[in-house]
Amino acid sequence: SSLFALFNGNLHEDAGEYYIPTQWRMGQVAQDMPETDQSATDFVVDGDTTLLAAQLEVTASEATDDYDRMAHAYMALQDAGAHDAPARAQALILGLGFKTTELTNPVNSFSGGWRMRLQLARALMCPSDLLLLDEPTNHLDLDALVWLEAWLKKYEGTMIVISHDREFLDAVTNVTLHIDAAKLVRYGGNYSKFEDMRAEQMELQQNAFAKQQDKIAHLQKFIARFKAKASKAKQAQSRVKALDRMEKIAPLLSEADFTFEFKEPANLPNPMLSMSGVSFGYPPPEDAPEGTPPTVIVRKVSKSVLAGQRIGILGANGQGKSTVVKTIARDLAAIGGEITEGKGLNIGYFAQQELDVLRPSDTPLEHMIRLVKDMTVAGKIAGQQTREQDLRSFLGTFNFSGDMVKQAVGSMSGGEKARLVLCMMVWQRPNLLLLDEPTNHLDLATREALAMALNEFEGTLMLVSHDRALLRSVCDEFWMVSRGGIEPFDGDLDDYQRYLLDEAKRQREAIKEASSAAAKAERKAQAEASAAQAKLKHKPAPTGSLKRKLQDVEARMAVLNTEGAALEGHLSQSPPPSDFANLGKRLKAVNEELQVLEEQWLTISGEIESLTV
């Protein structure tokens, strides 16, 4: 993140020289949460800084009598793609998972995660030579992630991305920069290639370290043996100097130095739970009129979750994955049907937003103390005494040591909050884990630790995640939430990615067909209106109506005559060839419209005359 701050000018180098081409345009996702009543489409369109500058110049030029400046401003606006800017913005918004019905919704009407998607769309909308992306996949579902990968593969500029999603990195990068021990090392290749080269380098360095340790031991033994002997003192002293001068190769510790495991569940009910005709959704808002029905997203599901199952929950955005998990976790009530829980079911739930279960002003230790009290009241640890030191030690196994146990959670990073949620889950000794996007904000080492812990977990797992590496490594089967139901998905994640791309294509074609049908209906309506008007032409119209028509035609002719005179004035000043062509085209269009209006004027005048004779 400090490196990104150097690139965008928020930080300056403390030593050495830093240079970036001055003509480079930079695109970056703003980290602040947008607060605006602008529509989603307008907000993203404004991300096109070139277009925005052209629009401002048009406005400024129109406030002057400088027709030459106006002509250049309109050409710049056309070159900036003003004609298709809303369509380009909407393609980005839809690709990132929004619905077509949300394109005109105000930005403030969306939740935080969706607003950050709009920030990402706004950054992609900006024409750039250098694109900086800091964890762009954190707020995305798998369908939006697959779309983003395809978009970035076609990006023509230089892209630098920070991410902890190994499959995403493999898909969109061809160079890896590794920051380690305050040094930046460049590796040619994507993340998997980097891992291979890094492993070889670590092995070589470890071998060099081992050899060096042997040499140090040999020197130390010589020094210890001969230091006290006068005849050998000089030689011993030279060995001491050699030892001091010897470059120390630091012993290499594994980067994944954080590991944890889930405790063995106290019992494993089978089935864990059964669903009979269950419908999932949301109750009506509190301020809704009486009798307002609930919002149903997934209907009439009859399935069982068995002991030891490891289920990955798939589904395009908005199909109800999180709603299903929240309902099973008891955060939402089922809209209909019945969920029967096995005796002794103990759920560990990781919410998609960590702050849903954390109190920003409390410390990790206070969270653990409250958890123990709640479990005691619930009768889950009756008769057991838990000392504060035990909680401190347990927090230490999740890298919360020293003063960190007394640090307010609100001041912690996203990764630290996620670790605390995991810590609290493990303490509860669950037999059913419900994980909704658990890897958001986790670094690669912690993701590896989570995958290892989940593979050793003896209970049942239900996982919603856009981290394909995690889904591949821990899930044995997949459920598809789609079109209001839940069905087994017969295939692997590669099949699912193909399904998502096909589904996105189907939706685009459906939107295109709907637009085409709407345009066809509009043309039909216009044709019918024209036919009706043509019919009316053969009927005598009241004199007053005809006079109003004549006034409208005369007013339009006056506007066109003024514009035509201005255009002729510009052409007489020998403008540049490109301007000359545009001015000439416009003058021709003005004259053609004037000719049509003159014919209308003669026709209407004739009708008025015939009625008044």
Side-chain angles (χ1 to χ4, degrees):
S1 295
S2 297
L3 195 63
F4 272 27
L6 176 67
F7 293 152
N8 63 30
N10 287 333
L11 283 180
H12 296 282
E13 64 274 24
D14 295 318
E17 294 182 8
Y18 165 70
Y19 168 77
I20 190 168
T22 53
Q23 72 274 19
W24 270 23
R25 299 165 300 176
M26 189 177 299
Q28 186 174 17
V29 180
Q31 295 303 308
D32 61 305
M33 192 67 67
E35 296 287 347
T36 176
D37 290 328
Q38 263 189 308
S39 73
T41 298
D42 290 344
F43 177 74
V44 173
V45 166
D46 282 354
D48 189 336
T49 52
T50 303
L51 176 62
L52 196 60
Q55 288 171 332
L56 291 172
E57 173 59 15
V58 166
T59 303
S61 66
E62 286 178 340
T64 71
D65 292 329
D66 189 339
Y67 294 105
D68 202 33
R69 179 182 175 186
M70 285 172 59
H72 282 91
Y74 276 108
M75 280 198 66
L77 189 65
Q78 185 177 352
D79 291 343
H83 62 288
D84 66 348
R88 286 186 287 121
Q90 290 177 356
L92 294 171
I93 296 169
L94 295 173
L96 290 173
F98 290 81
K99 300 172 185 173
T100 52
T101 54
E102 296 173 326
L103 292 170
T104 56
N105 288 3
V107 172
N108 284 346
S109 68
F110 296 102
S111 66
W114 288 97
R115 286 195 227 177
M116 291 312 294
R117 290 195 195 202
L118 288 175
Q119 290 284 40
L120 175 57
R122 188 176 166 108
L124 300 182
M125 185 74 181
C126 179
S128 61
D129 303 292
L130 175 62
L131 181 60
L132 304 179
L133 298 177
D134 190 350
E135 295 290 359
T137 67
N138 270 359
H139 300 283
L140 303 185
D141 292 325
L142 192 48
D143 52 335
L145 174 55
V146 170
W147 176 88
L148 179 62
E149 279 182 6
W151 193 95
L152 291 175
K153 284 177 183 176
K154 293 184 281 190
Y155 176 68
E156 295 180 352
T158 297
M159 178 188 69
I160 306 179
V161 58
I162 299 170
S163 177
H164 294 120
D165 185 328
R166 61 175 61 234
E167 293 209 16
F168 174 72
L169 288 172
D170 276 350
V172 303
T173 67
N174 52 24
V175 170
T176 301
L177 302 177
H178 184 224
I179 301 175
D180 183 40
K183 292 182 180 178
L184 189 149
V185 182
R186 183 186 189 277
Y187 293 83
N190 61 16
Y191 183 79
S192 292
K193 185 67 175 174
F194 154 74
E195 268 195 333
D196 293 341
M197 291 188 288
R198 174 72 174 153
E200 291 174 8
Q201 184 187 68
M202 288 175 74
E203 185 179 359
L204 290 172
Q205 192 168 347
Q206 194 65 45
N207 290 337
F209 173 73
K211 288 178 182 178
Q212 188 189 55
Q213 292 303 300
D214 289 342
K215 192 171 183 180
I216 288 172
H218 179 75
L219 287 171
Q220 287 174 333
K221 187 176 180 181
F222 183 93
I223 292 166
R225 183 178 177 188
F226 295 113
K227 190 166 56 175
K229 291 188 178 182
S231 60
K232 296 286 187 178
K234 199 169 184 179
Q235 294 175 9
Q237 190 60 37
S238 69
R239 297 298 195 283
V240 172
K241 289 179 181 178
L243 197 61
D244 289 339
R245 288 196 305 269
M246 185 180 292
E247 180 184 358
K248 299 291 193 297
I249 300 176
L252 290 171
L253 301 175
S254 169
E255 289 188 28
D257 58 353
F258 167 63
T259 58
F260 70 97
E261 60 183 6
F262 289 93
K263 298 177 183 179
E264 182 183 350
N267 65 330
L268 289 173
N270 196 21
M272 287 278 175
L273 58 90
S274 297
M275 295 176 279
S276 178
V278 177
S279 293
F280 303 85
Y282 291 88
E286 292 181 4
D287 57 352
E290 190 175 345
T292 302
T295 301
V296 180
I297 301 175
V298 182
R299 300 175 183 277
K300 299 190 179 302
V301 175
S302 296
K303 297 181 81 68
S304 293
V305 179
L306 306 178
Q309 275 189 292
R310 315 177 70 77
I311 303 165
I313 302 178
L314 307 176
N317 169 65
Q319 295 298 310
K321 302 185 297 295
S322 293
T323 307
V324 169
V325 172
K326 283 180 180 178
T327 306
I328 295 174
R330 312 179 189 119
D331 271 17
L332 288 173
I335 301 299
E338 186 177 0
I339 299 178
T340 305
E341 297 183 352
K343 187 178 179 181
L345 179 69
N346 185 12
I347 293 175
Y349 175 43
F350 189 107
Q352 186 167 355
Q353 301 294 330
E354 294 91 350
L355 287 180
D356 287 352
V357 293
L358 296 179
R359 301 186 182 187
S361 60
D362 287 359
T363 68
L365 184 58
E366 287 170 337
H367 276 87
M368 291 300 296
I369 291 171
R370 186 182 303 105
L371 177 62
V372 171
K373 286 180 180 176
D374 292 345
M375 291 178 69
T376 303
V377 170
K380 294 182 180 179
I381 51 174
Q384 295 183 22
Q385 293 295 321
T386 304
R387 299 176 307 159
E388 183 178 306
Q389 186 54 47
D390 294 334
L391 297 178
R392 285 176 175 270
S393 298
F394 189 73
L395 283 164
T397 63
F398 283 80
N399 282 0
F400 293 103
S401 55
D403 293 338
M404 279 197 75
V405 299
K406 292 291 188 77
Q407 180 182 338
V409 167
S411 65
M412 291 182 174
S413 69
E416 289 165 341
K417 292 173 188 173
R419 279 211 319 274
L420 179 56
V421 174
L422 289 172
C423 176
M424 294 168 68
M425 280 179 52
V426 172
W427 179 270
Q428 294 175 68
R429 203 172 177 181
N431 48 31
L432 171 60
L433 287 177
L434 301 174
L435 307 181
D436 191 357
E437 297 293 357
T439 59
N440 283 358
H441 309 299
L442 294 184
D443 59 26
L444 279 161
T446 309
R447 290 186 186 208
E448 291 293 343
L450 174 62
M452 290 173 61
L454 291 176
N455 275 319
E456 294 171 4
F457 177 59
E458 296 181 15
T460 298
L461 168 68
M462 299 181 77
L463 172 65
V464 176
S465 179
H466 66 257
D467 187 329
R468 289 156 294 181
L470 184 67
L471 285 167
R472 288 183 205 277
S473 66
V474 305
C475 295
D476 299 327
E477 60 182 296
F478 296 105
W479 287 3
M480 169 76 86
V481 182
S482 175
R483 300 178 189 178
I486 300 178
E487 296 294 338
F489 181 75
D490 185 20
D492 58 18
L493 282 179
D494 294 328
D495 296 322
Y496 179 60
Q497 284 188 210
R498 283 190 286 273
Y499 160 80
L500 287 175
L501 292 171
D502 290 343
E503 186 72 5
K505 183 179 178 182
R506 184 189 66 76
Q507 289 179 1
R508 285 196 302 272
E509 288 175 351
I511 293 168
K512 190 175 178 182
E513 284 178 16
S515 300
S516 176
K520 189 176 180 181
E522 188 178 349
R523 286 196 298 272
K524 183 181 178 184
Q526 288 175 345
E528 289 173 351
S530 298
Q533 286 177 355
K535 234 178 178 182
L536 287 171
K537 279 185 180 179
H538 301 290
K539 294 182 180 179
T543 308
S545 174
L546 288 170
K547 285 182 177 179
R548 283 194 296 274
K549 271 189 183 179
L550 191 65
Q551 287 172 353
D552 290 341
V553 171
E554 287 173 343
R556 178 60 182 161
M557 287 173 68
V559 170
L560 290 172
N561 280 320
T562 302
E563 185 182 356
L567 289 168
E568 287 172 351
H570 280 301
L571 287 167
S572 67
Q573 295 172 6
S574 301
S578 57
D579 289 358
F580 192 94
N582 288 318
L583 291 168
K585 284 179 186 176
R586 179 57 191 157
L587 182 59
K588 182 182 177 185
V590 167
N591 288 332
E592 286 174 350
E593 188 178 350
L594 275 171
Q595 188 175 349
V596 172
L597 289 169
E598 284 169 359
E599 290 174 2
Q600 289 179 5
W601 188 91
L602 289 170
T603 302
I604 296 169
S605 297
E607 289 179 10
I608 293 173
E609 188 176 344
S610 65
L611 286 171
T612 55
V613 170

